[in-house]
Amino acid sequence: MNLNSVSTQEDFLVDIIEGISVIKVNSLNATLKEAKNLKQIFDSLINANHFKFIIDFSHTRFIDSAFASVMINAVKDVRKLKGDIIAITPQGSINNIFVQTKLNIIFKQFETLDNALISFAGIGAQSFFTHIRDISF
């Protein structure tokens, strides 16, 4: 499996897994400050020809409109380039925010990283895990 840690910031950890940029939000509340950092991360990765993203909100309870706006603008850009942004939103307050703000209509949501990666792979779970098992580390 191709896994490279690309960037760490106080509020984010970015890894590349099988060509997919996984952005882990390490803040309980993602607000204007984090939105500015997220925009910089998206800009850098898009300029490096990364167009598939997973944003992991497993440790986040709240996002404000500035953060949501950065996500919406980024998804418009990457979809023009045949990419997408998927969100990991476990059950709880962050999932409720996605439903209440209708972000769930814009972004595919999954509860786990594995399920999000499988969705991007476009293949069934069995094939994906068989492929992973065949790779020697």
Side-chain angles (χ1 to χ4, degrees), residues 49-121:
N49 295 318
H50 291 262
F51 309 126
K52 294 180 180 180
F53 298 90
I54 296 172
I55 303 179
D56 184 350
F57 291 103
S58 295
H59 301 290
T60 306
R61 293 187 182 152
F62 174 78
I63 61 172
D64 72 0
S65 59
F67 197 90
S69 179
V70 168
M71 290 178 53
I72 291 166
N73 288 329
V75 80
K76 287 182 204 176
D77 292 342
V78 298
R79 285 182 179 161
K80 288 177 188 174
L81 300 166
K82 307 289 188 233
D84 206 356
I85 298 173
I86 293 175
I88 298 175
T89 56
Q91 294 299 318
S93 60
I94 192 68
N95 190 51
N96 292 338
I97 289 170
F98 266 68
V99 171
Q100 291 169 353
T101 61
K102 307 291 188 221
L103 289 172
N104 63 322
I105 295 170
I106 300 169
F107 299 96
K108 287 183 191 177
Q109 295 172 261
F110 295 92
E111 288 189 23
T112 67
L113 177 59
D114 287 343
N115 288 340
L117 289 168
I118 290 167
S119 173
F120 259 130

Side-chain angles (χ1 to χ4, degrees), residues 18-64:
E18 298 291 329
I20 300 166
S21 301
V22 179
I23 303 169
K24 183 175 183 175
V25 183
N26 290 326
S27 179
L28 284 177
N29 299 308
T31 59
L32 180 60
K33 177 185 142 233
E34 292 81 13
K36 290 177 182 179
N37 291 337
L38 181 64
K39 183 177 182 338
Q40 290 176 343
I41 291 169
F42 276 132
D43 289 347
S44 295
L45 289 167
I46 291 169
N47 286 335
N49 295 318
H50 291 262
F51 309 126
K52 294 180 180 180
F53 298 90
I54 296 172
I55 303 179
D56 184 350
F57 291 103
S58 295
H59 301 290
T60 306
R61 293 187 182 152
F62 174 78
I63 61 172
D64 72 0

Side-chain angles (χ1 to χ4, degrees), residues 1-6 14-20 22 113 137:
M1 179 185 287
N2 180 15
L3 173 64
N4 299 312
S5 182
V6 176
V14 181
D15 287 324
I16 308 299
I17 303 174
E18 298 291 329
I20 300 166
V22 179
L113 177 59
F137 294 92

